[in-house]
Amino acid sequence: YKRQVSTQSTGRFHRLFPNQEIYVTEIERSILNVGLANQAPLGTGIRYFALLHKNKQIPTNHATCCEGQGTRLYGSLPEYLYSFSPAGLYVDIYAASSITWEYQNTPITVTCQTSFPYSGNVVLNIASKSPSNFELSLRIPSWASDKVTVDADGTKYTGSPGTYLNIQQKWSTSSVSFTLPMTFRVTRYAGATQIKNFSRYALEYGPTLLAVVGPWNNTLDTIVLSGVNPLKPEDWLEPISSQPLHFSVKGSNQLVYMPYFEIQEELFEVYPVFM
């Protein structure tokens, strides 16, 4: 609930401070890792809590605050993708989408082609009724693992993580393409439910929170990973080519990391034990 409300209130801060990218990163993570993660398949309900251990909560469709705030969040998702300024257009969150608006009385359509967050590849196609000179501000997310090279009609630009790349030019029938580089981010568990003598870590890939599924250790009441360094997941996680954002664990045919927002009824752990 707090995250769902946070998404909407953080959106207001973004409108007040549109060049401070960190607000959009918070919105993006809240949408992916709480809003979408708490929605049941086929729209049968919304989970009240975003539980990170063992089982997700059973979705409900009662009159709790989450039914109100959750449906409000889902209905407002298009509002977080783009924003306007007197100079032009901000592209804030990358999703397969399109937007049409008028800039100085000229109708302009921007279409975004991407499978983000499953891929960092993005293509923006711009169609203007007549050549129009405006500023296109592209968000370079703070979670990006390197600088981003952007091709705009054959001209190369470079954007740094945690900023907006502002491209001012005359647009007509134009194309902009780039790839957002992603890598792993590791967070050590610091909560109240510690398991004595054991360390626990969560993994994110880009903005996406991952969860591990596999054999359950009943003694420790969690999933256990042995013989790997939690601080170097790139050494022991291998992408599964047929399942984007899914990673197998080297040496195991049972342990798989997957997006937390895809978890439904599986036993899972966001903070497994590492031995």
Side-chain angles (χ1 to χ4, degrees), residues 46-78:
I46 298 174
R47 299 178 177 92
Y48 193 91
F49 294 110
L51 302 181
L52 304 180
H53 164 74
K54 200 169 187 175
N55 299 107
K56 281 191 173 180
Q57 208 173 31
I58 297 173
T60 65
N61 53 14
H62 308 311
T64 69
C65 51
C66 275
E67 275 78 11
Q69 293 295 338
T71 52
R72 178 185 172 195
L73 171 65
Y74 303 137
S76 67
L77 286 178

PDB file of all heavy atoms in Angstrom, residues 46-78:
ATOM      1  N   ILE A  46      -6.074  -8.290  -5.785  1.00  0.00           N
ATOM      2  CA  ILE A  46      -4.853  -7.558  -5.483  1.00  0.00           C
ATOM      3  C   ILE A  46      -4.370  -7.999  -4.104  1.00  0.00           C
ATOM      4  O   ILE A  46      -5.170  -8.185  -3.178  1.00  0.00           O
ATOM      5  CB  ILE A  46      -5.092  -6.038  -5.498  1.00  0.00           C
ATOM      6  CG1 ILE A  46      -5.537  -5.585  -6.890  1.00  0.00           C
ATOM      7  CG2 ILE A  46      -3.838  -5.274  -5.081  1.00  0.00           C
ATOM      8  CD1 ILE A  46      -5.943  -4.134  -6.964  1.00  0.00           C
ATOM      9  N   ARG A  47      -3.065  -8.169  -3.972  1.00  0.00           N
ATOM     10  CA  ARG A  47      -2.489  -8.559  -2.689  1.00  0.00           C
ATOM     11  C   ARG A  47      -2.260  -7.321  -1.826  1.00  0.00           C
ATOM     12  O   ARG A  47      -1.805  -6.295  -2.324  1.00  0.00           O
ATOM     13  CB  ARG A  47      -1.176  -9.311  -2.909  1.00  0.00           C
ATOM     14  CG  ARG A  47      -1.352 -10.595  -3.704  1.00  0.00           C
ATOM     15  CD  ARG A  47      -0.007 -11.286  -3.941  1.00  0.00           C
ATOM     16  NE  ARG A  47      -0.209 -12.548  -4.640  1.00  0.00           N
ATOM     17  CZ  ARG A  47      -0.183 -12.688  -5.975  1.00  0.00           C
ATOM     18  NH1 ARG A  47       0.046 -11.616  -6.738  1.00  0.00           N
ATOM     19  NH2 ARG A  47      -0.378 -13.860  -6.528  1.00  0.00           N
ATOM     20  N   TYR A  48      -2.544  -7.466  -0.553  1.00  0.00           N
ATOM     21  CA  TYR A  48      -2.407  -6.326   0.359  1.00  0.00           C
ATOM     22  C   TYR A  48      -0.942  -6.056   0.669  1.00  0.00           C
ATOM     23  O   TYR A  48      -0.491  -4.922   0.649  1.00  0.00           O
ATOM     24  CB  TYR A  48      -3.168  -6.606   1.646  1.00  0.00           C
ATOM     25  CG  TYR A  48      -3.369  -5.396   2.531  1.00  0.00           C
ATOM     26  CD1 TYR A  48      -4.499  -4.604   2.404  1.00  0.00           C
ATOM     27  CD2 TYR A  48      -2.419  -5.043   3.485  1.00  0.00           C
ATOM     28  CE1 TYR A  48      -4.689  -3.489   3.209  1.00  0.00           C
ATOM     29  CE2 TYR A  48      -2.592  -3.932   4.281  1.00  0.00           C
ATOM     30  CZ  TYR A  48      -3.724  -3.151   4.144  1.00  0.00           C
ATOM     31  OH  TYR A  48      -3.892  -2.051   4.927  1.00  0.00           O
ATOM     32  N   PHE A  49      -0.165  -7.120   0.969  1.00  0.00           N
ATOM     33  CA  PHE A  49       1.252  -6.980   1.291  1.00  0.00           C
ATOM     34  C   PHE A  49       2.104  -7.577   0.176  1.00  0.00           C
ATOM     35  O   PHE A  49       1.728  -8.580  -0.445  1.00  0.00           O
ATOM     36  CB  PHE A  49       1.593  -7.688   2.610  1.00  0.00           C
ATOM     37  CG  PHE A  49       0.958  -7.075   3.816  1.00  0.00           C
ATOM     38  CD1 PHE A  49      -0.054  -7.735   4.493  1.00  0.00           C
ATOM     39  CD2 PHE A  49       1.371  -5.839   4.288  1.00  0.00           C
ATOM     40  CE1 PHE A  49      -0.645  -7.182   5.618  1.00  0.00           C
ATOM     41  CE2 PHE A  49       0.782  -5.267   5.411  1.00  0.00           C
ATOM     42  CZ  PHE A  49      -0.225  -5.939   6.079  1.00  0.00           C
ATOM     43  N   ALA A  50       3.272  -6.985  -0.046  1.00  0.00           N
ATOM     44  CA  ALA A  50       4.252  -7.548  -0.979  1.00  0.00           C
ATOM     45  C   ALA A  50       5.218  -8.412  -0.164  1.00  0.00           C
ATOM     46  O   ALA A  50       6.283  -7.962   0.263  1.00  0.00           O
ATOM     47  CB  ALA A  50       5.000  -6.439  -1.707  1.00  0.00           C
ATOM     48  N   LEU A  51       4.827  -9.655   0.082  1.00  0.00           N
ATOM     49  CA  LEU A  51       5.635 -10.553   0.903  1.00  0.00           C
ATOM     50  C   LEU A  51       6.831 -11.048   0.099  1.00  0.00           C
ATOM     51  O   LEU A  51       6.705 -11.411  -1.068  1.00  0.00           O
ATOM     52  CB  LEU A  51       4.789 -11.738   1.378  1.00  0.00           C
ATOM     53  CG  LEU A  51       3.524 -11.378   2.186  1.00  0.00           C
ATOM     54  CD1 LEU A  51       2.793 -12.627   2.614  1.00  0.00           C
ATOM     55  CD2 LEU A  51       3.885 -10.525   3.398  1.00  0.00           C
ATOM     56  N   LEU A  52       7.988 -11.106   0.735  1.00  0.00           N
ATOM     57  CA  LEU A  52       9.234 -11.449   0.051  1.00  0.00           C
ATOM     58  C   LEU A  52       9.748 -12.829   0.420  1.00  0.00           C
ATOM     59  O   LEU A  52      10.856 -13.200   0.013  1.00  0.00           O
ATOM     60  CB  LEU A  52      10.307 -10.408   0.378  1.00  0.00           C
ATOM     61  CG  LEU A  52       9.955  -8.950   0.071  1.00  0.00           C
ATOM     62  CD1 LEU A  52      11.114  -8.038   0.440  1.00  0.00           C
ATOM     63  CD2 LEU A  52       9.585  -8.779  -1.393  1.00  0.00           C
ATOM     64  N   HIS A  53       8.950 -13.603   1.146  1.00  0.00           N
ATOM     65  CA  HIS A  53       9.427 -14.880   1.679  1.00  0.00           C
ATOM     66  C   HIS A  53       8.364 -15.964   1.551  1.00  0.00           C
ATOM     67  O   HIS A  53       7.219 -15.783   1.971  1.00  0.00           O
ATOM     68  CB  HIS A  53       9.812 -14.701   3.156  1.00  0.00           C
ATOM     69  CG  HIS A  53       9.955 -15.965   3.938  1.00  0.00           C
ATOM     70  ND1 HIS A  53      11.040 -16.803   3.792  1.00  0.00           N
ATOM     71  CD2 HIS A  53       9.152 -16.539   4.870  1.00  0.00           C
ATOM     72  CE1 HIS A  53      10.905 -17.841   4.600  1.00  0.00           C
ATOM     73  NE2 HIS A  53       9.758 -17.692   5.264  1.00  0.00           N
ATOM     74  N   LYS A  54       8.721 -17.038   0.888  1.00  0.00           N
ATOM     75  CA  LYS A  54       7.997 -18.312   0.877  1.00  0.00           C
ATOM     76  C   LYS A  54       6.752 -18.312   0.006  1.00  0.00           C
ATOM     77  O   LYS A  54       6.672 -19.033  -0.991  1.00  0.00           O
ATOM     78  CB  LYS A  54       7.633 -18.752   2.296  1.00  0.00           C
ATOM     79  CG  LYS A  54       7.319 -20.236   2.407  1.00  0.00           C
ATOM     80  CD  LYS A  54       7.228 -20.659   3.861  1.00  0.00           C
ATOM     81  CE  LYS A  54       7.094 -22.171   3.995  1.00  0.00           C
ATOM     82  NZ  LYS A  54       7.131 -22.597   5.414  1.00  0.00           N
ATOM     83  N   ASN A  55       5.730 -17.553   0.380  1.00  0.00           N
ATOM     84  CA  ASN A  55       4.484 -17.508  -0.396  1.00  0.00           C
ATOM     85  C   ASN A  55       4.001 -16.081  -0.534  1.00  0.00           C
ATOM     86  O   ASN A  55       4.066 -15.296   0.420  1.00  0.00           O
ATOM     87  CB  ASN A  55       3.371 -18.319   0.289  1.00  0.00           C
ATOM     88  CG  ASN A  55       3.699 -19.787   0.434  1.00  0.00           C
ATOM     89  OD1 ASN A  55       3.978 -20.251   1.529  1.00  0.00           O
ATOM     90  ND2 ASN A  55       3.675 -20.525  -0.670  1.00  0.00           N
ATOM     91  N   LYS A  56       3.501 -15.753  -1.696  1.00  0.00           N
ATOM     92  CA  LYS A  56       2.798 -14.486  -1.830  1.00  0.00           C
ATOM     93  C   LYS A  56       1.432 -14.599  -1.171  1.00  0.00           C
ATOM     94  O   LYS A  56       0.874 -15.689  -1.035  1.00  0.00           O
ATOM     95  CB  LYS A  56       2.645 -14.098  -3.306  1.00  0.00           C
ATOM     96  CG  LYS A  56       3.897 -13.503  -3.918  1.00  0.00           C
ATOM     97  CD  LYS A  56       3.632 -12.885  -5.272  1.00  0.00           C
ATOM     98  CE  LYS A  56       4.843 -12.154  -5.801  1.00  0.00           C
ATOM     99  NZ  LYS A  56       4.588 -11.541  -7.131  1.00  0.00           N
ATOM    100  N   GLN A  57       0.912 -13.460  -0.773  1.00  0.00           N
ATOM    101  CA  GLN A  57      -0.396 -13.416  -0.137  1.00  0.00           C
ATOM    102  C   GLN A  57      -1.485 -13.825  -1.128  1.00  0.00           C
ATOM    103  O   GLN A  57      -1.335 -13.653  -2.348  1.00  0.00           O
ATOM    104  CB  GLN A  57      -0.655 -11.995   0.349  1.00  0.00           C
ATOM    105  CG  GLN A  57      -1.570 -11.909   1.542  1.00  0.00           C
ATOM    106  CD  GLN A  57      -1.638 -10.488   2.069  1.00  0.00           C
ATOM    107  OE1 GLN A  57      -1.511  -9.540   1.317  1.00  0.00           O
ATOM    108  NE2 GLN A  57      -1.863 -10.344   3.358  1.00  0.00           N
ATOM    109  N   ILE A  58      -2.553 -14.407  -0.631  1.00  0.00           N
ATOM    110  CA  ILE A  58      -3.687 -14.742  -1.491  1.00  0.00           C
ATOM    111  C   ILE A  58      -4.363 -13.446  -1.928  1.00  0.00           C
ATOM    112  O   ILE A  58      -4.699 -12.605  -1.098  1.00  0.00           O
ATOM    113  CB  ILE A  58      -4.689 -15.644  -0.741  1.00  0.00           C
ATOM    114  CG1 ILE A  58      -4.026 -16.976  -0.383  1.00  0.00           C
ATOM    115  CG2 ILE A  58      -5.937 -15.884  -1.595  1.00  0.00           C
ATOM    116  CD1 ILE A  58      -4.877 -17.865   0.491  1.00  0.00           C
ATOM    117  N   PRO A  59      -4.552 -13.233  -3.223  1.00  0.00           N
ATOM    118  CA  PRO A  59      -5.193 -11.991  -3.685  1.00  0.00           C
ATOM    119  C   PRO A  59      -6.637 -11.901  -3.193  1.00  0.00           C
ATOM    120  O   PRO A  59      -7.322 -12.914  -3.026  1.00  0.00           O
ATOM    121  CB  PRO A  59      -5.150 -12.110  -5.210  1.00  0.00           C
ATOM    122  CG  PRO A  59      -4.134 -13.165  -5.497  1.00  0.00           C
ATOM    123  CD  PRO A  59      -4.166 -14.105  -4.336  1.00  0.00           C
ATOM    124  N   THR A  60      -7.076 -10.690  -2.943  1.00  0.00           N
ATOM    125  CA  THR A  60      -8.456 -10.466  -2.520  1.00  0.00           C
ATOM    126  C   THR A  60      -9.105  -9.429  -3.424  1.00  0.00           C
ATOM    127  O   THR A  60      -8.439  -8.672  -4.116  1.00  0.00           O
ATOM    128  CB  THR A  60      -8.514  -9.962  -1.067  1.00  0.00           C
ATOM    129  OG1 THR A  60      -7.895  -8.671  -0.993  1.00  0.00           O
ATOM    130  CG2 THR A  60      -7.802 -10.918  -0.121  1.00  0.00           C
ATOM    131  N   ASN A  61     -10.415  -9.419  -3.415  1.00  0.00           N
ATOM    132  CA  ASN A  61     -11.162  -8.378  -4.116  1.00  0.00           C
ATOM    133  C   ASN A  61     -12.182  -7.743  -3.183  1.00  0.00           C
ATOM    134  O   ASN A  61     -13.280  -7.391  -3.574  1.00  0.00           O
ATOM    135  CB  ASN A  61     -11.843  -8.926  -5.376  1.00  0.00           C
ATOM    136  CG  ASN A  61     -12.698 -10.146  -5.090  1.00  0.00           C
ATOM    137  OD1 ASN A  61     -13.000 -10.444  -3.937  1.00  0.00           O
ATOM    138  ND2 ASN A  61     -13.103 -10.852  -6.125  1.00  0.00           N
ATOM    139  N   HIS A  62     -11.764  -7.632  -1.909  1.00  0.00           N
ATOM    140  CA  HIS A  62     -12.607  -6.971  -0.914  1.00  0.00           C
ATOM    141  C   HIS A  62     -12.387  -5.451  -0.995  1.00  0.00           C
ATOM    142  O   HIS A  62     -11.586  -4.967  -1.782  1.00  0.00           O
ATOM    143  CB  HIS A  62     -12.280  -7.483   0.488  1.00  0.00           C
ATOM    144  CG  HIS A  62     -12.304  -8.976   0.605  1.00  0.00           C
ATOM    145  ND1 HIS A  62     -13.346  -9.748   0.142  1.00  0.00           N
ATOM    146  CD2 HIS A  62     -11.390  -9.848   1.108  1.00  0.00           C
ATOM    147  CE1 HIS A  62     -13.090 -11.026   0.370  1.00  0.00           C
ATOM    148  NE2 HIS A  62     -11.903 -11.119   0.956  1.00  0.00           N
ATOM    149  N   ALA A  63     -13.067  -4.738  -0.129  1.00  0.00           N
ATOM    150  CA  ALA A  63     -12.974  -3.276  -0.159  1.00  0.00           C
ATOM    151  C   ALA A  63     -11.885  -2.783   0.788  1.00  0.00           C
ATOM    152  O   ALA A  63     -12.117  -2.001   1.700  1.00  0.00           O
ATOM    153  CB  ALA A  63     -14.318  -2.665   0.219  1.00  0.00           C
ATOM    154  N   THR A  64     -10.635  -3.260   0.576  1.00  0.00           N
ATOM    155  CA  THR A  64      -9.520  -2.727   1.349  1.00  0.00           C
ATOM    156  C   THR A  64      -8.942  -1.520   0.614  1.00  0.00           C
ATOM    157  O   THR A  64      -9.298  -1.229  -0.534  1.00  0.00           O
ATOM    158  CB  THR A  64      -8.417  -3.777   1.533  1.00  0.00           C
ATOM    159  OG1 THR A  64      -7.796  -4.023   0.263  1.00  0.00           O
ATOM    160  CG2 THR A  64      -8.981  -5.086   2.066  1.00  0.00           C
ATOM    161  N   CYS A  65      -7.999  -0.846   1.262  1.00  0.00           N
ATOM    162  CA  CYS A  65      -7.385   0.313   0.617  1.00  0.00           C
ATOM    163  C   CYS A  65      -6.609  -0.096  -0.629  1.00  0.00           C
ATOM    164  O   CYS A  65      -6.434   0.704  -1.554  1.00  0.00           O
ATOM    165  CB  CYS A  65      -6.491   1.060   1.592  1.00  0.00           C
ATOM    166  SG  CYS A  65      -5.297   0.025   2.444  1.00  0.00           S
ATOM    167  N   CYS A  66      -6.122  -1.361  -0.669  1.00  0.00           N
ATOM    168  CA  CYS A  66      -5.345  -1.786  -1.836  1.00  0.00           C
ATOM    169  C   CYS A  66      -6.225  -1.926  -3.074  1.00  0.00           C
ATOM    170  O   CYS A  66      -5.753  -1.707  -4.188  1.00  0.00           O
ATOM    171  CB  CYS A  66      -4.629  -3.111  -1.556  1.00  0.00           C
ATOM    172  SG  CYS A  66      -3.050  -2.837  -0.731  1.00  0.00           S
ATOM    173  N   GLU A  67      -7.457  -2.336  -2.895  1.00  0.00           N
ATOM    174  CA  GLU A  67      -8.333  -2.374  -4.067  1.00  0.00           C
ATOM    175  C   GLU A  67      -8.528  -0.970  -4.646  1.00  0.00           C
ATOM    176  O   GLU A  67      -8.551  -0.781  -5.858  1.00  0.00           O
ATOM    177  CB  GLU A  67      -9.704  -2.982  -3.730  1.00  0.00           C
ATOM    178  CG  GLU A  67      -9.741  -4.498  -3.795  1.00  0.00           C
ATOM    179  CD  GLU A  67      -9.117  -5.156  -2.575  1.00  0.00           C
ATOM    180  OE1 GLU A  67      -8.844  -4.449  -1.593  1.00  0.00           O
ATOM    181  OE2 GLU A  67      -8.889  -6.373  -2.609  1.00  0.00           O
ATOM    182  N   GLY A  68      -8.616   0.019  -3.751  1.00  0.00           N
ATOM    183  CA  GLY A  68      -8.770   1.395  -4.222  1.00  0.00           C
ATOM    184  C   GLY A  68      -7.495   1.952  -4.810  1.00  0.00           C
ATOM    185  O   GLY A  68      -7.462   2.410  -5.950  1.00  0.00           O
ATOM    186  N   GLN A  69      -6.396   1.877  -4.027  1.00  0.00           N
ATOM    187  CA  GLN A  69      -5.131   2.437  -4.501  1.00  0.00           C
ATOM    188  C   GLN A  69      -4.542   1.609  -5.643  1.00  0.00           C
ATOM    189  O   GLN A  69      -3.933   2.141  -6.570  1.00  0.00           O
ATOM    190  CB  GLN A  69      -4.122   2.522  -3.342  1.00  0.00           C
ATOM    191  CG  GLN A  69      -4.500   3.508  -2.257  1.00  0.00           C
ATOM    192  CD  GLN A  69      -4.518   4.944  -2.765  1.00  0.00           C
ATOM    193  OE1 GLN A  69      -3.889   5.269  -3.757  1.00  0.00           O
ATOM    194  NE2 GLN A  69      -5.261   5.808  -2.086  1.00  0.00           N
ATOM    195  N   GLY A  70      -4.708   0.281  -5.570  1.00  0.00           N
ATOM    196  CA  GLY A  70      -4.150  -0.574  -6.613  1.00  0.00           C
ATOM    197  C   GLY A  70      -4.796  -0.338  -7.960  1.00  0.00           C
ATOM    198  O   GLY A  70      -4.113  -0.154  -8.973  1.00  0.00           O
ATOM    199  N   THR A  71      -6.122  -0.325  -7.991  1.00  0.00           N
ATOM    200  CA  THR A  71      -6.794  -0.096  -9.272  1.00  0.00           C
ATOM    201  C   THR A  71      -6.524   1.317  -9.786  1.00  0.00           C
ATOM    202  O   THR A  71      -6.416   1.532 -10.995  1.00  0.00           O
ATOM    203  CB  THR A  71      -8.308  -0.320  -9.134  1.00  0.00           C
ATOM    204  OG1 THR A  71      -8.804   0.453  -8.022  1.00  0.00           O
ATOM    205  CG2 THR A  71      -8.623  -1.776  -8.878  1.00  0.00           C
ATOM    206  N   ARG A  72      -6.388   2.238  -8.860  1.00  0.00           N
ATOM    207  CA  ARG A  72      -6.023   3.607  -9.267  1.00  0.00           C
ATOM    208  C   ARG A  72      -4.639   3.618  -9.916  1.00  0.00           C
ATOM    209  O   ARG A  72      -4.409   4.287 -10.936  1.00  0.00           O
ATOM    210  CB  ARG A  72      -6.046   4.509  -8.035  1.00  0.00           C
ATOM    211  CG  ARG A  72      -5.643   5.950  -8.307  1.00  0.00           C
ATOM    212  CD  ARG A  72      -5.593   6.715  -6.987  1.00  0.00           C
ATOM    213  NE  ARG A  72      -5.040   8.050  -7.147  1.00  0.00           N
ATOM    214  CZ  ARG A  72      -4.620   8.804  -6.147  1.00  0.00           C
ATOM    215  NH1 ARG A  72      -4.693   8.351  -4.914  1.00  0.00           N
ATOM    216  NH2 ARG A  72      -4.131  10.004  -6.361  1.00  0.00           N
ATOM    217  N   LEU A  73      -3.695   2.865  -9.321  1.00  0.00           N
ATOM    218  CA  LEU A  73      -2.348   2.791  -9.886  1.00  0.00           C
ATOM    219  C   LEU A  73      -2.384   2.176 -11.280  1.00  0.00           C
ATOM    220  O   LEU A  73      -1.801   2.725 -12.229  1.00  0.00           O
ATOM    221  CB  LEU A  73      -1.440   1.961  -8.982  1.00  0.00           C
ATOM    222  CG  LEU A  73      -0.061   1.637  -9.563  1.00  0.00           C
ATOM    223  CD1 LEU A  73       0.761   2.905  -9.749  1.00  0.00           C
ATOM    224  CD2 LEU A  73       0.684   0.649  -8.678  1.00  0.00           C
ATOM    225  N   TYR A  74      -3.061   1.040 -11.444  1.00  0.00           N
ATOM    226  CA  TYR A  74      -3.083   0.367 -12.741  1.00  0.00           C
ATOM    227  C   TYR A  74      -3.731   1.262 -13.806  1.00  0.00           C
ATOM    228  O   TYR A  74      -3.279   1.314 -14.944  1.00  0.00           O
ATOM    229  CB  TYR A  74      -3.827  -0.964 -12.647  1.00  0.00           C
ATOM    230  CG  TYR A  74      -3.243  -1.907 -11.604  1.00  0.00           C
ATOM    231  CD1 TYR A  74      -4.064  -2.633 -10.748  1.00  0.00           C
ATOM    232  CD2 TYR A  74      -1.872  -2.038 -11.466  1.00  0.00           C
ATOM    233  CE1 TYR A  74      -3.527  -3.483  -9.789  1.00  0.00           C
ATOM    234  CE2 TYR A  74      -1.329  -2.881 -10.497  1.00  0.00           C
ATOM    235  CZ  TYR A  74      -2.163  -3.599  -9.664  1.00  0.00           C
ATOM    236  OH  TYR A  74      -1.628  -4.424  -8.716  1.00  0.00           O
ATOM    237  N   GLY A  75      -4.766   1.965 -13.404  1.00  0.00           N
ATOM    238  CA  GLY A  75      -5.436   2.839 -14.360  1.00  0.00           C
ATOM    239  C   GLY A  75      -4.612   4.048 -14.752  1.00  0.00           C
ATOM    240  O   GLY A  75      -4.800   4.616 -15.829  1.00  0.00           O
ATOM    241  N   SER A  76      -3.662   4.418 -13.889  1.00  0.00           N
ATOM    242  CA  SER A  76      -2.862   5.618 -14.166  1.00  0.00           C
ATOM    243  C   SER A  76      -1.506   5.294 -14.793  1.00  0.00           C
ATOM    244  O   SER A  76      -0.711   6.207 -15.044  1.00  0.00           O
ATOM    245  CB  SER A  76      -2.634   6.416 -12.870  1.00  0.00           C
ATOM    246  OG  SER A  76      -1.809   5.691 -11.966  1.00  0.00           O
ATOM    247  N   LEU A  77      -1.214   4.033 -15.073  1.00  0.00           N
ATOM    248  CA  LEU A  77       0.115   3.656 -15.580  1.00  0.00           C
ATOM    249  C   LEU A  77       0.569   4.472 -16.796  1.00  0.00           C
ATOM    250  O   LEU A  77       1.733   4.870 -16.871  1.00  0.00           O
ATOM    251  CB  LEU A  77       0.154   2.154 -15.897  1.00  0.00           C
ATOM    252  CG  LEU A  77       0.205   1.219 -14.681  1.00  0.00           C
ATOM    253  CD1 LEU A  77       0.181  -0.235 -15.132  1.00  0.00           C
ATOM    254  CD2 LEU A  77       1.438   1.482 -13.836  1.00  0.00           C
ATOM    255  N   PRO A  78      -0.311   4.735 -17.777  1.00  0.00           N
ATOM    256  CA  PRO A  78       0.162   5.527 -18.936  1.00  0.00           C
ATOM    257  C   PRO A  78       0.692   6.909 -18.561  1.00  0.00           C
ATOM    258  O   PRO A  78       1.530   7.462 -19.287  1.00  0.00           O
ATOM    259  CB  PRO A  78      -1.090   5.634 -19.823  1.00  0.00           C
ATOM    260  CG  PRO A  78      -1.912   4.434 -19.464  1.00  0.00           C
ATOM    261  CD  PRO A  78      -1.692   4.256 -17.993  1.00  0.00           C
TER     262      PRO A  78
END
